[in-house]
Amino acid sequence: LSCLLGGLSMQSPELAALIGIVLTALLAARERMHQFVRHAITEQELEDVIVFLAAALILLPLAPDQYIGPYQSINPHDLARFVVAVMSISAVGYMAKRIMGLRGGMAIAGFAGGFISSTATILSMGQTAKAEPLHVRSAATGAMLSTISTMLQLGLLISVTVPDLLQSMLKPIGLGAGAACLYALWLSKSQGPANEPASLNLKGHAFDLTTTLMVSLAVLSITVLTAALHQWLGATGVMIAALLSGLVDAHSTVASSSSLVAQEQMSLLQAQQAILLAVSSNTLSKAAVAIGAGGRAFAVLTLPGLALVMAAVWLGTFI
């Protein structure tokens, strides 16, 4: 590299000097970098970083930005951007958990896990509540914090894929997240002095690649299904697809709506209604999971919070 910099300095001395300074800084910091790789980051986390960089720097730039496939409903660039966004959000949640330490308890686990899948997080919290009845309130708090993550992720995905819709969705998302936050705070303040788990069982993954790929496949399938239903049944078909897709994932409707809005096959109002229907059906799915996995005690604490969140979301839509 030093030899190449010597040649580069004949053509562009400023660029050669800049690269030389960066190289010197890297060499000076090599011991600290080695310590970080050996002790602060696991091998699995390093592999996750490489996978993420491959997605962000190779997959995203090379994905064509044009509509292809059945009903001209698939945009590879938008799909790749969705994948990178999901991976980024999951990684940020994981890093927050690492930085704040394992003793943050189930609240941090719930908030971070909600960025990956709120339904899966509620399932995990419900299983913990059933196995450890003393921690049922902590588990319910984590479940509600995962709902906050869902709202934040929904807002971020809308800002990326359907930015024109963000302004009209700020009130529903903000009120929904605020209601979940207040309810989680009430749960946290009202719990007794029972001992909380001292640590969390971290598996060392910055993001769940399998979950990311499954969600992306669901987004792809739902995008095609939404376009097909739209062509067959018009606006009614889109709403049906939103209700069905919400049972699996509320965020996939954002991507499918983005595709239709970009092709002027759906208005912003219809896109907003579809997203709200998906969020509503997804809340019903979470409620079913809470009842099935956590039992009565967990459900009694969780279901009112989910109902409060949905009431706040729909209230924000009409005010």
Side-chain angles (χ1 to χ4, degrees), residues 133-155:
L134 291 177
H135 301 147
V136 63
R137 281 191 173 270
S138 294
T141 301
M144 293 311 304
L145 289 175
S146 74
T147 302
I148 299 176
S149 306
T150 295
M151 292 296 168
L152 295 177
Q153 188 179 30
L154 184 66

Side-chain angles (χ1 to χ4, degrees), residues 14 21 31 60 97 107 129 133 137 163 168 171-172 177 179 185 204 232 236-237 249 270 278 292:
E14 296 85 358
I21 292 172
E31 290 297 332
L60 183 58
K97 193 162 35 173
R137 281 191 173 270
S168 60
K171 283 185 179 179
L185 183 62
W232 297 338
T236 304
D249 179 71
Q270 289 174 327

Side-chain angles (χ1 to χ4, degrees), residues 90-169:
S90 301
V92 168
Y94 178 84
M95 286 188 293
K97 193 162 35 173
R98 281 289 305 268
I99 292 172
M100 298 184 71
L102 297 179
R103 292 187 176 273
M106 283 184 282
I108 296 176
F111 184 74
F115 286 111
I116 302 174
S117 172
S118 180
T119 304
T121 302
I122 291 176
L123 173 65
S124 175
M125 293 295 169
Q127 292 171 339
T128 301
K130 183 173 286 188
E132 301 287 343
L134 291 177
H135 301 147
V136 63
R137 281 191 173 270
S138 294
T141 301
M144 293 311 304
L145 289 175
S146 74
T147 302
I148 299 176
S149 306
T150 295
M151 292 296 168
L152 295 177
Q153 188 179 30
L154 184 66
L156 180 58
L157 291 176
I158 290 174
S159 69
V160 171
T161 57
V162 202
D164 293 337
L165 187 60
L166 181 61
Q167 184 174 359
S168 60
M169 288 296 294

Side-chain angles (χ1 to χ4, degrees), residues 158 162-173 268-269 271-272 276 313 316-319:
I158 290 174
V162 202
D164 293 337
L165 187 60
L166 181 61
Q167 184 174 359
S168 60
M169 288 296 294
L170 281 178
K171 283 185 179 179
I173 291 174
L268 288 176
L269 178 59
Q272 181 185 17
L276 290 172
V313 168
T317 306
F318 293 109
I319 63 175

Side-chain angles (χ1 to χ4, degrees), residues 11 39 65 81 92 120 165 213 285 300 313 315:
Q11 302 267 331
H39 303 292
D65 189 7
R81 185 168 55 180
V92 168
L165 187 60
L213 294 177
S285 178
V300 165
V313 168
L315 177 63

Side-chain angles (χ1 to χ4, degrees), residues 104-318:
M106 283 184 282
I108 296 176
F111 184 74
F115 286 111
I116 302 174
S117 172
S118 180
T119 304
T121 302
I122 291 176
L123 173 65
S124 175
M125 293 295 169
Q127 292 171 339
T128 301
K130 183 173 286 188
E132 301 287 343
L134 291 177
H135 301 147
V136 63
R137 281 191 173 270
S138 294
T141 301
M144 293 311 304
L145 289 175
S146 74
T147 302
I148 299 176
S149 306
T150 295
M151 292 296 168
L152 295 177
Q153 188 179 30
L154 184 66
L156 180 58
L157 291 176
I158 290 174
S159 69
V160 171
T161 57
V162 202
D164 293 337
L165 187 60
L166 181 61
Q167 184 174 359
S168 60
M169 288 296 294
L170 281 178
K171 283 185 179 179
I173 291 174
L175 288 178
C181 183
L182 290 175
Y183 191 80
L185 183 62
W186 174 78
L187 283 174
S188 177
K189 293 293 185 181
S190 63
Q191 65 184 349
N195 293 329
E196 298 295 334
S199 64
L200 300 172
N201 183 23
L202 291 178
K203 296 182 179 180
H205 286 274
F207 50 83
D208 190 334
L209 184 59
T210 301
T211 300
T212 301
L213 294 177
M214 289 180 63
V215 170
S216 301
L217 181 60
V219 167
L220 181 62
S221 303
I222 291 166
T223 299
V224 176
L225 175 62
T226 302
L229 289 173
H230 180 269
Q231 182 165 327
W232 297 338
L233 302 176
T236 304
V238 175
M239 301 309 165
I240 295 174
L243 281 171
L244 295 176
S245 64
L247 295 174
V248 179
D249 179 71
H251 302 103
S252 56
T253 303
V254 177
S256 58
S257 299
S258 169
S259 173
L260 293 174
V261 169
Q263 299 178 77
E264 298 182 351
Q265 297 183 23
M266 175 188 282
S267 67
L268 288 176
L269 178 59
Q270 289 174 327
Q272 181 185 17
Q273 293 171 346
I275 292 172
L276 290 172
L277 286 175
V279 172
S280 300
S281 62
N282 185 249
T283 302
L284 292 177
S285 178
K286 291 178 185 178
V289 168
I291 295 171
R296 181 176 180 179
F298 181 72
V300 165
L301 292 175
T302 305
L303 295 188
L306 293 176
L308 181 64
V309 170
M310 281 317 306
V313 168
W314 282 101
L315 177 63
T317 306
F318 293 109

